[in-house]
Every structure is written in structure tokens, then in C-alpha cells.
Amino acid sequence: MNTLIWTGSYTADRNANGKGIGAISVDSDGKLTSLGLAAAADSPSFLAKHPTLPVIYAVAEEGQVVQAYRRTRTAELEPMGKAWHSGEATCHVAADPHGRFIIATCWGDGQVVLYELDDDGAITSRTSAEAAVDPHQTGPTDDPRPSRAHSSHMLPDGRILTTDLGHDLVRVWRYQQGTGLVPDHQVVLPKGSGPRHMVRHPSGTVFIDTEYSVEVAAIRAEPQGVYELTAIVPASVNKAFDGDAAAEIALSPDGRFAYVGVRGSNRICILKVIDGGTALEPLADVPSGGDWPRHHLVHGEWLLVAHEGSDDVVSYRLDPQTGLPDGPVSRVETGSPSFLMTAH
């Protein structure tokens, strides 16, 4: 059976070639097919889906808003309610698994914004969380660094993690209805590492790729629930090259391998999960198959890679034993893709 994939994109307001939220399908042989434009929008660079309703949420990275969309037909969406203000360069959105709220993170001004939802999935309120403080700012003579909130991740215990790429922080929050996000504690990463995106392993370890240092950090919670940095390793078996920047991180379905996209040298780095899911070791690098792999998606035995620079999405078959991608198997053209997400 074919699987519907929503695609985010960059559009003319970013001098890019996308038109909005797109739709493609992938079949059981990894063949990709374009289904056209699902909804016209300005730079909907990241998407999230409601856990139970046919509703998705998109950031407008240049427009500084978050918009809900309702699915109307197989591959069509329509705006649902008004667009809500977010912050500068809103680059990520994630949905609470219970459908109570979504969280947008803003690279431009560091804001972490929570939007509460009603029973239909519509946005009803907006609350900006407490601003980050740079833990590496040790004195008044240090050059100030801007806060750059980049992603959020919902934990099984109801708490929320957010990364701050500018301050090298992972912040842990509790949700309080009507109040928003309440700080719990934070984890400090090495200065200049740039924590970007997160994925949680079934063992409970959260792996975080670092955009600037092109590494993967591991954080784990102690019995008291306090997260600590337990390891940090290079993403690649080779060095990071000038101009490289890590993008997305994803796990294989069985949790044995992790995949990190690297823009610049245009690689997918494969890492092996070791020590019962508590650590990683670099295994191999393969070409991503295009230019500027901004995002990728592991879907069953398939790895799909969105190339912003070459205006395409490519599919690879993943070897379940070695974890290595084989291909590319299929390629579909789509303007400046920035994100991939299954519709179901």
C-alpha cells in the first residue's frame, strides 16, 4: 500500500522554489510519486500532526506565525482558524501526544511558545515560555550569544525537552494548563556544539545531533528524573568538513541504528546504538543523493531524504542487518523541501 507523506518547503519569501505544503506518496517498492500541492503557504518549513484528528500544524518561518490546517481530501489541506503569531524564524513545531497543545521554537529570537488546543484541534491561546540564559556566559566581558531555540520533544512522563542551539542548552519543562511551560531543569552541552534535533531511544536515552560540532550527544535521566549529559561522539566516521552543519536525526525501526543528515558535504551518517541503547558509535557515511539534506524520514525499511538545494526527495532501502542505505531507489522533484512527515 502507498503511504502519504506531507512535505514542508521554503518558498519565494526565502528566495526558494517551494509553493507550500506538498504531498508525495511512497509505495512498497520505495517508489516516490508527487501528489501535488496540498496547501499554498509561505515557507511552511516544519510540520506536526495532531495525534488523533486530521489536523496538522505548520510554521511560517519568515511570516512568524503558526497555522493549523484541516485535511479535506486524500492529499489536500485547508487553513483552520486564524494564523497565530510565533516569533522570529520559527523553525520547528511539535504536538503533545494527548492533543492538549503544540510547541513552536524560534531560531531567530529564542522564543519557546506553547499554544493550547481545543477538542477540534484548533489553537485557542498562546504563551511564551521563560527566556533562556546562556550558561557559558561567565562574566560581563564575554561576548553575548543570542538564544536560538530550535526544537522540542515530548517525553513519556509528560515533560517536554527543548534545545537552544545558541546557548548550547537542553531545557526540561513541565506543562501546566493555563500557565504554559514551567521550567524543571536544564542540561548544559559543550560550548559551540549547537544542539539541534532530538530523538528518544526505547531505552530512555535521548540522542541530540549538534549542528555546529556535527556530533551526537546522549542525555539520560537519573532515578530522580534529572537528565544529565552521558556521552557525546562524532556523527561521522570521517571528520566534519568546513561548511558542514548537522540537520535531522532519526532511528531505525528496531532502534539499532541512528541516521544524521549533514548539509555541506551532503552525507547521511550512520551510527550504531551500543551499550543497551545508552551510547552510539559512528559506523559509516553515505552520500545523501542530492544537495543540502535538510530533513530525512525513516519509514519502515525506507529512508527518505529531502534535499532543499536540489529540489528533490530520494528514497533508499535500509538493510535491516547492517543499517546501511542502498540506492537511491527513487527520486521525485519538489521545490525546496525542508521536512517530511507521514500523514498517519
Side-chain angles (χ1 to χ4, degrees):
M1 293 182 63
N2 291 3
T3 299
L4 176 65
I5 308 289
W6 300 122
T7 65
S9 73
Y10 286 110
T11 61
D13 61 348
R14 277 274 291 239
N15 297 316
N17 302 317
K19 301 298 181 183
I21 302 171
I24 62 176
S25 71
V26 56
D27 68 14
S28 58
D29 295 320
K31 179 177 172 55
L32 301 171
T33 303
S34 174
L35 303 178
L37 186 65
D42 291 331
S43 290
S45 61
F46 214 91
L47 314 174
K49 57 189 172 186
H50 192 280
T52 59
L53 300 173
V55 175
I56 72 169
Y57 306 92
V59 304
E61 189 158 335
E62 296 300 314
Q64 303 183 24
V65 296
V66 173
Q67 175 70 60
Y69 291 86
R70 181 188 294 109
R71 187 174 175 179
T72 55
R73 297 183 181 180
T74 299
E76 294 182 14
L77 300 165
E78 66 178 10
M80 178 180 175
K82 69 175 185 178
W84 285 72
H85 177 67
S86 52
E88 294 180 18
T90 311
C91 59
H92 189 280
V93 61
D96 166 49
H98 303 290
R100 298 168 297 175
F101 57 85
I102 59 172
I103 294 174
T105 43
C106 306
W107 182 89
D109 57 16
Q111 285 194 75
V112 176
V113 186
L114 182 140
Y115 303 86
E116 293 191 323
L117 307 174
D118 65 17
D119 291 341
D120 295 323
I123 299 172
T124 61
S125 67
R126 177 194 186 281
T127 307
S128 189
E130 180 179 302
V133 176
D134 189 349
H136 297 284
Q137 185 85 20
T138 58
T141 59
D142 288 352
D143 290 334
R145 303 190 304 166
S147 171
R148 299 204 182 282
H150 210 290
S151 69
S152 60
H153 182 81
M154 313 297 169
L155 294 169
D157 64 8
R159 293 183 297 173
I160 300 100
L161 302 177
T162 62
T163 59
D164 194 303
L165 187 148
H167 286 173
D168 302 306
L169 272 178
V170 177
R171 295 199 283 171
V172 186
W173 308 85
R174 290 175 286 109
Y175 167 64
Q176 191 171 91
Q177 187 175 6
T179 300
L181 294 173
V182 178
D184 190 279
H185 65 281
Q186 64 185 28
V187 185
V188 180
L189 270 64
K191 186 176 183 180
S193 55
R196 181 178 170 92
H197 285 180
M198 298 171 278
V199 64
R200 184 180 182 274
H201 190 268
S203 68
T205 306
V206 176
F207 296 119
I208 307 151
D209 69 328
T210 59
E211 178 170 333
Y212 297 150
S213 63
V214 193
E215 296 173 306
V216 180
I219 64 172
R220 286 184 61 84
E222 295 181 335
Q224 296 81 12
V226 177
Y227 278 86
E228 291 186 349
L229 176 65
T230 57
I232 187 163
V233 300
S236 171
V237 292
N238 302 294
K239 67 178 183 178
F241 299 99
D242 288 345
D244 273 356
E248 174 68 341
I249 181 168
L251 291 173
S252 62
D254 60 8
R256 296 173 56 214
F257 304 98
Y259 303 91
V260 176
V262 180
R263 296 162 290 172
S265 56
N266 298 334
R267 293 177 282 169
I268 300 295
C269 300
I270 301 95
L271 298 95
K272 185 178 180 180
V273 179
I274 59 174
D275 297 338
T278 63
L280 292 167
E281 63 179 15
L283 180 64
D285 295 353
V286 299
S288 68
D291 182 31
W292 212 251
R294 178 164 287 274
H295 196 260
H296 60 266
L297 170 69
V298 175
H299 173 62
E301 64 180 313
W302 300 103
L303 173 69
L304 311 182
V305 184
H307 293 107
E308 178 191 352
S310 51
D311 298 312
D312 60 17
V313 177
V314 299
S315 65
Y316 291 85
R317 186 187 297 273
L318 294 174
D319 186 308
Q321 299 304 315
T322 66
L324 298 180
D326 182 33
V329 173
S330 181
R331 181 187 308 271
V332 65
E333 293 184 0
T334 183
S336 304
S338 59
F339 179 80
L340 302 168
M341 178 178 72
T342 58
H344 303 291

